[in-house]
Amino acid sequence: MTMLLVLQTELMSEYCEMLQTQKLLATGNLHLKALHLHAGVEFHLKEQILSHQALQEALNDPKNGESAFKHLKQQASILGNMEKLHLLGPGRCFIEFGAGRGKLSHWVDVALQNVEDVQFLLVERATTRFKVDGKHQRRDSTFERLQVDIQHLCLNKVPILEKKKLPVVGMGKHLCGAATDLALRCLVESYAACCDAQNEEPAPKRSRTHQAEVASNNSADNESSKADCKPVAGIVIALCCHHKCDWTHYVGREFFKSVGLGPVEFHCFQRMSSWATCGMRETTNKASASEASEEQTGDTGEHEQAFSKIESGPDTLQGILTVEERKEIGSLCKRLIDHGRIEYLQQRGYKAVLQYYIESAVSLENVLLTAVPSPSLIPEPTT
């Protein structure tokens, strides 16, 4: 009887939330808020469509079909952006979140074939077939796969990182919804914060005279070690499936709260974000389905799509908004969600940017988030 009452209460709560969402949408309040916030959010992103020589042979291979070619172009641009940020180098651990078959790590390894001391950590919660990381036998690189949900991953307890203390580069290709937020927290809050705490070792006891003599040297050494210690060298994630985000794990909640928005509004933005990629029922929706099929048979393994369900849902306002209006609002919703992620990283000392990394004809989900530690601000000497 108690269980039945709990179930009824939960269903009633969901029903009330749905009614509230429909009411907000019907009155257009959220649309107006989205358009108002447009002024403070970078909506028109810069194109940063690059390539990398490591994939040139594969890109020119006529044996690769259209689906494989699209994935190769995306991977080539991701590597090109990583190279532009100086993230492809020795003495690093590359962590691929939502690794699937591990193709992105494979191409990074190919790009670094003459580089020593490179580690790869592939994180994927699902069982994956046709993995490519098992084929790598190069002495100077090590591949390790972790079958774990990102929210349960603690990087500082991973033996390969615990032993070598290498700076990490977090990367992902089409990291769905909340998985992006979980990856950012894993890198920025869990791993980076833990490394910072380990570096702050208690100073040994000294006499007062000795403390006076070495105080200035200690201060300089501490500042130097803090500047050199960058546990997270960079982050490069191709964003995807904003309709699968959730307020609980979202890293940009402070941004939303700062502009007077909360979980109810976030839920609406989350649902409307799908309009950007399936606003046209007959054309764009087919392209989304094609892209989903490619992803499922390609890199990401499980890449669930809820577009058709959302497209036919009660909050699409068909007949009230035009296709173009819905597409524009959907894109704006995506950028609002992404802007919260950018602010989250900026507040934690990273230079974070959003850019188009591939043409929309190649992938409808074509935005790349990159972040590198901001240069230390050294005060100018007073005269």
Side-chain angles (χ1 to χ4, degrees):
M1 188 68 178
T2 305
M3 287 296 294
L4 180 61
L5 181 61
V6 170
L7 181 60
Q8 288 176 335
T9 302
E10 290 179 352
L11 290 173
M12 182 59 70
S13 176
E14 290 181 7
Y15 181 67
C16 289
E17 182 182 351
M18 184 185 73
L19 288 178
Q20 188 175 15
T21 300
Q22 287 181 264
K23 183 178 178 181
L24 285 168
L25 284 165
T27 57
N29 287 340
L30 282 179
H31 299 158
L32 293 173
K33 284 185 180 179
L35 295 172
H36 177 70
L37 285 170
H38 185 179
V41 176
E42 187 179 2
F43 183 63
H44 299 289
L45 306 182
K46 178 183 176 182
E47 279 194 358
Q48 193 76 3
I49 302 174
L50 304 176
S51 191
H52 196 280
Q53 60 182 6
L55 290 93
Q56 287 310 306
E57 184 178 346
L59 284 167
N60 295 327
D61 188 349
K63 295 179 182 178
N64 287 318
E66 183 181 358
S67 174
F69 181 73
K70 286 184 176 182
H71 285 296
L72 289 168
K73 284 201 71 174
Q74 292 173 68
Q75 291 153 352
S77 185
I78 291 173
L79 261 68
N81 277 277
M82 292 175 73
E83 185 174 55
K84 186 177 178 66
L85 294 171
H86 307 291
L87 296 178
L88 298 178
R92 293 194 173 160
C93 179
F94 294 88
I95 304 176
E96 184 177 357
F97 293 94
R101 295 173 60 197
K103 280 290 191 73
L104 184 57
S105 293
H106 162 76
W107 289 116
V108 171
D109 186 55
V110 171
L112 298 175
Q113 58 183 337
N114 298 318
V115 174
E116 297 181 354
D117 195 19
V118 179
Q119 314 288 327
F120 290 92
L121 190 62
L122 284 70
V123 181
E124 175 59 63
R125 68 178 182 180
T127 303
T128 308
R129 301 172 61 195
F130 310 117
K131 298 184 286 289
V132 298
D133 40 290
K135 299 178 182 179
H136 294 271
Q137 302 295 332
R138 192 161 66 87
R139 290 186 200 170
D140 298 328
S141 64
T142 303
F143 280 76
E144 182 175 339
R145 182 173 282 268
L146 293 179
Q147 187 174 341
V148 62
D149 194 306
I150 300 172
Q151 65 180 317
H152 301 138
L153 176 61
C154 187
L155 289 176
N156 59 296
K157 293 184 179 179
V158 176
I160 198 173
L161 294 175
E162 200 172 24
K163 180 181 178 181
K164 290 213 169 187
K165 307 288 185 186
L166 294 174
V168 304
V169 176
M171 59 185 187
K173 176 175 173 287
H174 292 312
L175 195 57
C176 290
T180 291
D181 299 296
L182 292 170
L184 294 178
R185 285 194 191 278
C186 180
L187 291 164
V188 176
E189 292 187 28
S190 173
Y191 187 64
C194 180
C195 290
D196 289 343
Q198 289 176 352
N199 288 330
E200 293 178 2
E201 297 178 356
K205 292 182 179 180
R206 300 185 178 93
S207 65
R208 290 183 179 179
T209 55
H210 186 230
Q211 286 177 341
E213 290 172 359
V214 301
S216 60
N217 290 335
N218 281 345
S219 177
D221 291 341
N222 288 338
E223 291 300 320
S224 176
S225 64
K226 285 181 182 179
D228 294 337
C229 178
K230 295 176 181 176
V232 178
I235 300 169
V236 180
I237 296 175
L239 303 171
C240 180
C241 299
H242 294 71
H243 64 277
K244 294 180 70 176
C245 294
D246 67 73
W247 181 256
T248 302
H249 297 118
Y250 179 52
V251 298
R253 285 181 292 183
E254 289 305 313
F255 161 67
F256 262 66
K257 291 176 182 177
S258 71
V259 293
L261 301 174
V264 173
E265 291 87 353
F266 177 84
H267 178 66
C268 293
F269 283 126
Q270 166 214 335
R271 290 179 64 85
M272 290 189 295
S273 68
S274 68
W275 296 356
T277 51
C278 61
M280 297 176 67
R281 179 177 289 275
E282 294 184 359
T283 56
T284 313
N285 199 40
K286 287 181 180 178
S288 298
S290 174
E291 177 71 12
S293 176
E294 289 166 7
E295 293 294 342
Q296 287 170 344
T297 57
D299 292 344
T300 58
E302 65 172 47
H303 190 85
E304 300 171 17
Q305 297 291 320
F307 290 150
S308 60
K309 180 179 177 182
I310 296 174
E311 177 71 6
S312 60
D315 57 355
T316 56
L317 297 185
Q318 293 182 8
I320 300 176
L321 299 173
T322 67
V323 167
E324 290 304 316
E325 285 174 335
R326 290 166 65 224
K327 286 175 65 179
E328 183 179 0
I329 290 170
S331 296
L332 182 55
C333 289
K334 280 177 173 284
R335 297 294 76 80
L336 285 169
I337 292 172
D338 290 339
H339 186 79
R341 291 163 168 168
I342 293 296
E343 284 209 357
Y344 167 83
L345 290 166
Q346 289 174 342
Q347 290 170 2
R348 284 154 181 79
Y350 291 84
K351 181 181 178 181
V353 180
L354 296 169
Q355 58 252 313
Y356 293 119
Y357 79 105
I358 204 71
E359 299 90 346
S360 58
V362 175
S363 175
L364 294 173
E365 299 280 16
N366 62 341
V367 174
L368 187 71
L369 182 155
T370 63
V372 293
S374 298
S376 299
L377 299 176
I378 303 175
E380 296 181 0
T382 55
T383 55

